[in-house]
Structures are given as structure tokens and as C-alpha cells.
Amino acid sequence: MAILKSYGVRLRESTPQFPRPNLCDNYKRRNVKWRSPQAAVIPNFHLPMRSFEVKNRTSADDIKSLRLITAIKTPYLPDGRFDLEAFDDLMHMQIENGAEAVIVGGTTGEGQLMSWDEHIMLIGHTVNCFGGLIKVIGNTGSNSTREAIHATEQGFAVGMQAALHINPYYGKTSLDGLISHFDSVLPMGPSIIYNVPSRTGQDIPPRVINSIAQSPNLAGIKECVGNDRIEQYTGNGIVVWSGNDDQCHDARWSHGATGVISVTSNLVPGLMRELMFGGKNPSLNAKLLPLIEWLFQEPNPVGLNTALAQLGVVRPVFRLPYVPLPLEKREEFVNLVREIGRENFVGKNDVQVLDDDDFILVGRY
């Protein structure tokens, strides 16, 4: 007990003693008006990674003139990481066969399966290796405005020449919300707005596009609703690319579209260039339609991934949830290649059917 008492004494002695407040001081404080330290508070202040000045930057007008833009495939190694050697080979094939630009990390490139680190790295890699030969458009859109702003800022910082922006999906928003979303990202640089209601669950109506059309950074619209909508925009001087390969010939030559943002050009870039540059060509369009129909019998990029693996230009690796087309469909592709001509397709290997066991499905990457 004596020990406990002595410990209590020492504890009381070690407790710091603070001076008792003076009541007069409290009165003075209550009568002094508090002022915010304004010099330390800058509301809504943001410094971009790069200035918004037009210097060493592609203009929206440069993007508006593009006719063949390929939504480039992202190939994988067996462990699910990017296969950059195969990606570079695909890029060379696009450049050699006349594609003017690529979308990096779009739906076809499986940006939805990438981390943002992977996303921005692939955009930067593409710019670094090919930016002087072809326009690089990064898909930096998101259903989160905060993420879209951050990714777009990073994309332009690593050198992309334009951004692709989708409307917020799943959660969706009001039409005024769509306008505010696009108004938040357009000031950063040239941008293409992507309208694909079948994926987002929400159409971007003309009211929204007409509202943001005043922005000097709006390069145009990738429109998937159809050629009537395309003609409605082109009649008002808005640049449009067809987002539907099966409609792009008529969109280009009968409805005023500037060109196409294409999936099929991953496989036959030379023929797609001819379709966009060579004038009306219904016979070539009819020749390509069976291939296009085959590509989109399952949601993109299932068909494209299967086809490129069969051509031997990418490894047969799929990031889940994508899986290859079944055997009978792979056999159909072999016949399509022979009918159109192997020389028109990318790569140099003979087209193969491939067995089910040849494919690698990766769930953790």
C-alpha cells in the first residue's frame, strides 16, 4: 500500500500544471472578430500538369480530318500482363497499311480491364514509340468525373494527342449532368465524345452535343446510334465518325461522316482504308460485311481476340471475363480469311483453327 501511495504522489507531481485562464482575457477574445487567413486559402485552385496553352499540342482541327481510326487491340502474355512486342507489331501493321490514328485502351483494347497505371503506361508507350507516325487518342473516359479528369490530365501529360470520352454509365446521370461532365474534361485538350447506348445504357442526345459543341476542343462524335443521327450532326457542321463498321461505308459516302473508328481495321487495315478513302465501293463493302458480322456475333472484343490469335499475331491469351469463340465459329473464320484473301489480313502466318486447349484464360492479372 505504501508503494501505491508513493506512486500516486509521483504521478501528481509529474502532471503538468497549466495556468488558469483569466476571465478578462476570455472577454477580450469574445469581442475580437476572427478573420480567415485568406492568403492560405485558395478555393477550387488547381494547377494542371501542363498548361492549356496551344504549344507542342495537336489541335482539334488536326483530329477532325482523320478518316481511318483503329480501336487497337491490347495483346497479353501468358500471365496476363501486356505483350508490348506484339502490341508494337500490331501498331506497325496499322501504320504500314494506312491507319491515321489509334484509340488506345478503348473497349476493343479492353481499357475496362486495365488499372489506370496500365492504362496511362500504354498510352505513354504508344506515344513514345509511334507518336510521330500516327495520332494517338487515349481512352481516358470514365463514369466518374473525378477519374475522367485525373486520367485525361495524365494522358495529355504523357503526350496523347486527343482523348476519347464516354458518358457516365451504369449509375448514369441527368442530361444536365452529362453536360457538366463533358464541360469538366473538354478544357484539357482535343476530345472525341463516344455515344454507344448499348453499352452505357443511356443515349447522348443532340441537346447535349449541341450544348458542348461551342468548345474549341470538341473534335467530334463517335456515333453508334445510326446514320440518321450522323446526318443530323453533319448537317449542322459537327464532325462525326461512324462507330459501326457495318454502317461505315454508307455513313462516309451518303451521310457526311468524316470516317470510322473501326474494330475491323485491326484485321484488314488496308481494305478499311480503301473503304474510307477510295470513294463509294459497294462491292468491297459487301465483301467485308460477312467478316464484320462474324466479328460482332458476340460482344466486342471476343471475336477480334479470337481472330487475331488464329492469325498468329497475338498469343491466344484472354483476360476474363472474355473467352474465345467456340470451335465452329473459329472454323468459319478460317473460311472467311480464304474467301477475302489471306494477303489482306495482318500477320504472315497461316490462319489456324486452334484447339480449345490452346487458349489461356487469365482471371488474376
Side-chain angles (χ1 to χ4, degrees):
M1 182 66 69
I3 295 174
L4 289 176
K5 287 183 178 179
S6 63
Y7 175 78
V9 171
R10 287 198 300 271
L11 182 62
R12 285 193 297 273
E13 290 175 349
S14 64
T15 302
Q17 300 297 314
F18 297 102
R20 298 181 65 182
N22 187 301
L23 295 179
C24 183
D25 289 343
N26 285 339
Y27 175 80
K28 291 178 181 179
R29 290 193 193 99
R30 286 197 298 269
N31 285 277
V32 174
K33 187 176 181 181
W34 181 83
R35 292 184 180 181
S36 170
Q38 295 294 328
V41 179
I42 307 176
N44 300 321
F45 184 68
H46 175 71
L47 279 177
M49 292 181 182
R50 291 176 181 263
S51 71
F52 294 150
E53 298 173 20
V54 181
K55 58 182 180 181
N56 302 321
R57 178 78 68 85
T58 301
S59 71
D61 288 339
D62 293 328
I63 303 301
K64 290 176 180 179
S65 64
L66 301 173
R67 283 162 284 187
L68 178 58
I69 303 172
T70 297
I72 194 76
K73 151 74 177 168
T74 306
Y76 304 113
L77 295 167
D79 61 2
R81 291 176 301 137
F82 294 163
D83 184 347
L84 292 180
E85 288 186 6
F87 179 82
D88 292 352
D89 286 343
L90 285 173
M91 287 295 302
H92 282 298
M93 294 171 197
Q94 294 299 315
I95 293 167
E96 291 169 359
N97 286 281
E100 298 175 291
V102 290
I103 303 288
V104 177
T107 306
T108 305
E110 301 178 17
Q112 61 275 14
L113 304 186
M114 297 178 188
S115 69
W116 279 117
D117 285 345
E118 289 180 315
H119 217 123
I120 300 303
M121 181 277 285
L122 191 59
I123 292 171
H125 170 82
T126 310
V127 170
N128 184 52
C129 295
F130 306 103
L133 302 172
I134 195 169
K135 294 288 190 297
V136 178
I137 302 168
N139 170 34
T140 55
S142 173
N143 60 344
S144 161
T145 303
R146 175 185 62 83
E147 285 192 8
I149 290 171
H150 184 63
T152 302
E153 183 179 55
Q154 289 189 322
F156 279 119
V158 299
M160 72 181 186
Q161 288 134 332
L164 181 72
H165 284 289
I166 201 164
N167 52 309
Y169 46 87
Y170 182 67
K172 303 189 285 187
T173 185
S174 63
L175 296 188
D176 288 340
L178 291 181
I179 294 170
S180 295
H181 176 80
F182 293 132
D183 281 343
S184 297
V185 292
L186 280 169
M188 296 184 177
S191 301
I192 297 172
I193 304 301
Y194 180 17
N195 185 32
V196 56
S198 64
R199 289 186 180 272
T200 65
Q202 182 180 35
D203 181 33
I204 306 175
R207 174 195 153 185
V208 173
I209 300 302
N210 292 335
S211 177
I212 64 176
Q214 305 305 315
S215 170
N217 283 328
L218 179 64
I221 315 300
K222 177 185 177 182
E223 183 58 73
C224 296
V225 164
N227 287 340
D228 289 341
R229 176 73 66 83
I230 286 176
E231 189 165 352
Q232 182 178 354
Y233 287 139
T234 57
N236 291 325
I238 296 174
V239 172
V240 185
W241 293 270
S242 174
N244 300 325
D245 283 354
D246 61 336
Q247 298 178 348
C248 70
H249 172 268
D250 292 346
R252 171 84 171 99
W253 302 111
S254 301
H255 299 277
T258 296
V260 63
I261 297 178
S262 176
V263 176
T264 310
S265 56
N266 278 276
L267 298 174
V268 287
L271 295 183
M272 290 302 296
R273 179 181 171 87
E274 187 176 344
L275 204 64
M276 292 295 101
F277 282 75
K280 282 190 177 182
N281 195 335
S283 61
L284 176 58
N285 189 51
K287 183 178 181 179
L288 289 173
L289 281 177
L291 172 64
I292 295 170
E293 290 171 2
W294 182 91
L295 274 174
F296 292 96
Q297 59 194 305
E298 294 289 354
N300 180 52
V302 170
L304 177 65
N305 292 353
T306 306
L308 287 171
Q310 289 185 250
L311 291 168
V313 296
V314 303
R315 289 178 169 89
V317 180
F318 282 66
R319 279 186 173 185
L320 290 171
Y322 299 120
V323 297
L325 290 175
L327 179 62
E328 63 180 290
K329 298 300 181 182
R330 302 199 298 268
E331 291 172 344
E332 288 178 13
F333 179 69
V334 171
N335 293 329
L336 284 169
V337 171
R338 290 170 180 165
E339 291 170 8
I340 295 172
R342 177 65 183 90
E343 68 279 4
N344 294 309
F345 286 78
V346 295
K348 297 179 180 179
N349 297 335
D350 290 337
V351 61
Q352 303 290 323
V353 174
L354 296 181
D355 295 326
D356 290 343
D357 292 341
D358 291 327
F359 292 94
I360 299 171
L361 309 182
V362 184
R364 300 181 69 176
Y365 39 82

